[in-house]
Amino acid sequence: MLTLPLKACSHYELSKALSDWLDDPNQQVTFDSSNPLEFVLPKPSFTSSDCRNELLRLQALRNAATEVLTKSNSHQHATEEGGLEDLQEYHACLLQFEQRGFPTSENNSNNNNECNSITLRWKGAYPPHAVESHSSLLWERTCVCYNVAALLTHCVASVDKTNRDACKQAVKQLQDAARLLHTLQQLVSSQQDVYVTVDVSPSHLQFWIKFLTASAQDYIFRMVSLGADVSTKHHLLSKLAQSAHELYNDALQATQDARLQSELHASAIEWGSYCKANSMLCAAKAMYYVALECRRCAQWGNEICRLRAALQKLESCRDFLRSLPSDGVASYTLRECLAMLPVVQDRFHEADKDNLRVYHEEIPRELPDVEALQMAKMSDGLPENMLQPKRPMFVGL
C-alpha cells in the first residue's frame, strides 16, 4: 500500500500573530480586488483579550501537530499519540476562525494597509522539503487537511487484508482520504498561482484521489470475498475486481503527468509500477471469478476460455512483479499473485480434461469484456469532526 508523505511545520506563535493582527487597527482583511466573486468577511470587532481562550486553544493544537509532524517516523508517532484526532480538531478550529473574519487571503504587497504579520511556514512533503510560507489561515488549513489524508493512508497500510472488519474500516479510511484530497483540490484551485510545492499541486492531488478510490474498490472486493457464500458471490466479485482494474489503470495514467515525471520522477515510477501490478492482478481475478460463474451455470467452454485468460494474465503479472524490487511496495501483490497461480492452473487443467472426457463443448476464442461495478464512492465536503470543534468557540462574541 502506498502511503502519502507528511508535510512538517516548525514551531510558530500563531496566537500572538493573530492577536497582533486583531489589535492593530492598521491591519485589515485582505482581498483580491480583481476577483469580484471572492467572499470576504469583515475584521472581527472584538479584541484578542475577548477571545483569549480560543487563541490559546488554537495554539495548543498547533503545538501538538508540530510536535508529532517533526519526529522521525512521524506517521507512526502521529497515529499512536492521537495526532490524527488533534489535526482534525485543529482544522475545525481554524475553520471557526476563518468564519469569524480572520485572514484567509494572502498579503497584498502593493498596499501596506492590507498586510498582516502572520507567517505560516510548512515544508514540502518530498525532498528537498523546500519551505513554503503564506500569511493566510487558508494555507494552514490546506496543509492540515493534506496531513489528515496522509495519516489515513498510513492507517490503511497496516490493515490485515484477511480480516473482513479490518477491510471494511480500510474502505472508510480510503474513501475519507480521497474525499479530503478532492475537497483540497477544489480549495487550492483558486490558489494555483500562489501555492508552489508539488504536494498540493492539482496533478499530485489528482493521482492520489484516483489511487485511493482504486484502493477502496480493491478493499471492497476483499471484504465481499471474505463474506458469506451466496449464489451470486462469484458474479459480484468479478464485477468488483474489473472495476478495481479500471480504476488502477486511471491512477497509472495520472502518474504520467509532466510535472510529476519532472519533479517526482522516482516516486511517479514507483506509483506507476504499483498501480500497474495491481491492475494486472485485479484483471486476472475478474476473469477467474467469471470462470467460476460460468462453471456454476454449466457453461463449460466459456469457463475454459476465461480460465485460460486468467492464467495468462497472472503469468504476465508475475513476470512484471519479478522485475521490480523484491522488498518494494508491490511485494504483497507478488505473494498474492504466486498464491493464486497454482489454484487457477489446477482449475484450468481439470476443466480442460472434463470437457475432453465429458462435455465436448466448443471453446470460444474470445468472450465479451467483464462487466464492472464500482462501489467505491467519494462524498463531497469534509467529515463532521473537521467542521465542528468538540467545544463551541467564540460564545457570546
Side-chain angles (χ1 to χ4, degrees):
M1 173 68 189
L2 301 177
T3 301
L4 186 63
L6 290 164
K7 291 175 71 68
C9 59
S10 55
H11 181 75
Y12 179 64
E13 292 293 337
L14 178 58
S15 60
K16 183 180 185 305
L18 290 176
S19 295
D20 292 342
W21 175 84
L22 194 58
D23 295 337
D24 186 348
N26 293 321
Q27 294 192 26
Q28 298 298 323
V29 174
T30 63
F31 66 96
D32 181 4
S33 58
S34 65
N35 182 5
L37 299 179
E38 183 174 357
F39 179 69
V40 180
L41 289 169
K43 184 177 179 177
S45 58
F46 49 80
T47 65
S48 62
S49 59
D50 296 326
C51 61
R52 182 173 181 273
N53 289 337
E54 285 78 6
L55 289 166
L56 292 176
R57 183 176 170 192
L58 193 72
Q59 186 65 54
L61 288 167
R62 193 181 202 278
N63 290 345
T66 301
E67 184 178 353
V68 295
L69 293 174
T70 53
K71 290 182 177 180
S72 58
N73 196 17
S74 50
H75 282 91
Q76 190 67 28
H77 281 293
T79 51
E80 290 177 352
E81 299 174 15
L84 177 59
E85 293 77 11
D86 285 343
L87 283 169
Q88 290 169 330
E89 179 70 3
Y90 184 38
H91 183 279
C93 291
L94 284 168
L95 201 54
Q96 293 295 308
F97 273 79
E98 286 186 23
Q99 292 171 353
R100 282 287 175 162
F102 284 81
T104 58
S105 299
E106 293 300 315
N107 281 333
N108 186 341
S109 59
N110 296 322
N111 188 341
N112 290 331
N113 291 329
E114 293 185 359
C115 288
N116 63 55
S117 57
I118 301 169
T119 307
L120 297 163
R121 297 183 177 88
W122 286 81
K123 292 182 179 179
Y126 299 94
H129 304 291
V131 175
E132 183 171 359
S133 63
H134 294 282
S135 57
S136 80
L137 296 185
L138 188 63
W139 165 244
E140 185 84 348
R141 194 156 60 84
T142 295
C143 297
V144 172
C145 193
Y146 172 94
N147 279 331
V148 171
L151 290 178
L152 288 173
T153 66
H154 173 74
C155 293
V156 175
S158 57
V159 160
D160 179 3
K161 296 182 179 181
T162 62
N163 183 297
R164 190 172 188 273
D165 290 337
C167 289
K168 184 177 181 179
Q169 179 65 17
V171 170
K172 181 182 184 306
Q173 291 170 330
L174 288 163
Q175 291 183 145
D176 282 349
R179 174 184 180 183
L180 285 169
L181 294 183
H182 179 65
T183 302
L184 186 58
Q185 190 179 42
Q186 295 174 319
L187 188 147
V188 302
S189 63
S190 61
Q191 308 290 328
Q192 288 187 22
D193 298 328
V194 180
Y195 300 160
V196 297
T197 48
V198 68
D199 44 34
V200 292
S201 67
S203 55
H204 180 258
L205 295 174
Q206 182 70 358
F207 161 72
W208 279 96
I209 291 167
K210 289 181 177 295
F211 168 72
L212 293 169
T213 305
S215 298
Q217 179 74 15
D218 199 350
Y219 273 95
I220 290 172
F221 166 87
R222 296 177 188 278
M223 191 173 67
V224 173
S225 69
L226 294 167
D229 289 333
V230 293
S231 60
T232 58
K233 183 175 181 178
H234 293 152
H235 184 54
L236 176 58
L237 286 172
S238 69
K239 294 196 288 186
L240 293 175
Q242 179 67 17
S243 178
H245 156 68
E246 294 172 3
L247 290 168
Y248 275 123
N249 270 347
D250 289 343
L252 171 61
Q253 186 175 0
T255 65
Q256 306 306 306
D257 177 81
R259 185 172 182 185
L260 296 184
Q261 288 291 328
S262 173
E263 296 187 38
L264 300 175
H265 183 70
S267 294
I269 293 297
E270 182 182 58
W271 301 339
S273 298
Y274 185 88
C275 291
K276 180 178 179 179
N278 280 278
S279 174
M280 296 171 77
L281 183 60
C282 287
K285 289 178 180 178
M287 200 64 69
Y288 174 65
Y289 282 104
V290 170
L292 295 184
E293 179 64 14
C294 290
R295 181 173 180 80
R296 189 182 72 84
C297 299
Q299 299 173 357
W300 315 114
N302 289 354
E303 178 197 12
I304 294 170
C305 181
R306 295 292 190 183
L307 285 171
R308 180 186 290 121
L311 187 57
Q312 292 170 346
K313 290 178 184 297
L314 281 172
E315 289 171 344
S316 297
C317 182
R318 175 201 60 196
D319 295 342
F320 174 70
L321 284 163
R322 283 179 171 171
S323 70
L324 303 177
S326 59
D327 58 346
V329 292
S331 57
Y332 183 89
T333 309
L334 175 59
R335 295 198 302 272
E336 195 172 9
C337 177
L338 293 177
M340 191 176 174
L341 252 173
V343 175
V344 178
Q345 285 174 333
D346 291 346
R347 182 63 243 143
F348 171 67
H349 293 311
E350 288 299 319
D352 195 36
K353 285 192 293 184
D354 288 346
N355 193 54
L356 286 172
R357 294 173 182 173
V358 182
Y359 305 116
H360 308 293
E361 274 199 15
E362 182 180 354
I363 302 172
R365 293 187 177 181
E366 58 182 36
L367 288 168
D369 292 338
V370 180
E371 182 184 353
L373 173 63
Q374 181 177 339
M375 295 184 67
K377 306 298 181 184
M378 184 175 58
S379 304
D380 291 329
L382 294 167
E384 185 64 24
N385 61 358
M386 293 182 68
L387 293 174
Q388 294 295 331
K390 295 175 182 178
R391 300 197 311 273
M393 303 183 74
F394 301 105
V395 177
L397 295 179

